Amino acid sequence: MDNYQLLLYLRIGLVAILYLVILQIVLVSRRDLKRAEKPVAAGVATTRARQVVGRLILIDSGSTPYKPGQEFALEPITTIGRAPTNSIVLDSTFVSTEHTRILYKDKSLWVEDMGSRNGTLVNGQTIAQPVAVAPGALLQVGDVRFEFAAA
């Protein structure tokens, strides 16, 4: 057997190995796609369950289209701002893109300003660092006012 035949056999072997790898990738991908389709086909929601740790009740809607009395659920990490990526979106020129964050830690809700231009007020006081709040506390984000309520 000369070198050319050996090179030919090595090339054929390499191509066969590459085809086997591609076939394995296709089979694994198809299997994963079928698994992903099953919950949807069975009518099971694939979104994560929301853990509600409190509520905000709108007192004064300011320049937003919301109605007073509307309630917003608070998750363990809730962000408030003008950007659509926030948990609670307030379309107001007085509200910063990322204005306020509400965290649930140590079985308490904590409010923190995210460096907003107009600041965040809790019970009428501008906050400079995270502040623990209880049900009944007032929160002002821009020109919008809320009251904290228990979950």
Side-chain angles (χ1 to χ4, degrees):
M1 180 162 56
D2 61 356
N3 288 338
Y4 293 112
Q5 280 182 327
L6 179 64
L7 262 163
L8 177 66
Y9 292 137
L10 286 174
R11 286 181 181 168
I12 292 172
L14 180 62
V15 169
I17 290 172
L18 286 175
Y19 275 113
L20 287 173
V21 168
I22 291 171
L23 178 65
Q24 184 69 24
I25 290 171
V26 168
L27 291 175
V28 169
S29 298
R30 287 184 65 200
R31 183 186 68 215
D32 289 346
L33 284 173
K34 284 183 181 179
R35 280 187 191 160
E37 289 175 358
K38 283 183 183 176
V40 175
V44 177
T46 58
T47 59
R48 65 176 174 83
R50 290 178 27 170
Q51 179 186 2
V52 177
V53 296
R55 296 176 295 131
L56 283 178
I57 300 172
L58 187 65
I59 295 173
D60 181 1
S61 60
S63 57
T64 67
Y66 297 118
K67 302 281 186 238
Q70 186 168 349
E71 294 186 8
F72 298 89
L74 296 176
E75 296 179 3
I77 300 175
T78 302
T79 56
I80 302 174
R82 211 173 50 233
T85 54
N86 288 292
S87 308
I88 300 172
V89 178
L90 301 176
D91 189 20
S92 169
T93 56
F94 297 100
V95 177
S96 297
T97 306
E98 294 176 345
H99 199 106
T100 303
R101 179 174 26 219
I102 301 170
L103 300 169
Y104 181 71
K105 64 180 181 180
D106 302 328
K107 297 185 180 181
S108 296
L109 289 171
W110 292 77
V111 177
E112 120 181 71
D113 184 69
M114 304 281 293
S116 64
R117 178 180 295 167
N118 293 319
T120 300
L121 284 76
V122 173
N123 293 327
Q125 302 292 317
T126 303
I127 60 170
Q129 58 189 15
V131 174
V133 294
L138 299 178
L139 171 68
Q140 183 168 338
V141 178
D143 62 343
V144 182
R145 291 186 314 135
F146 299 95
E147 180 180 349
F148 282 93

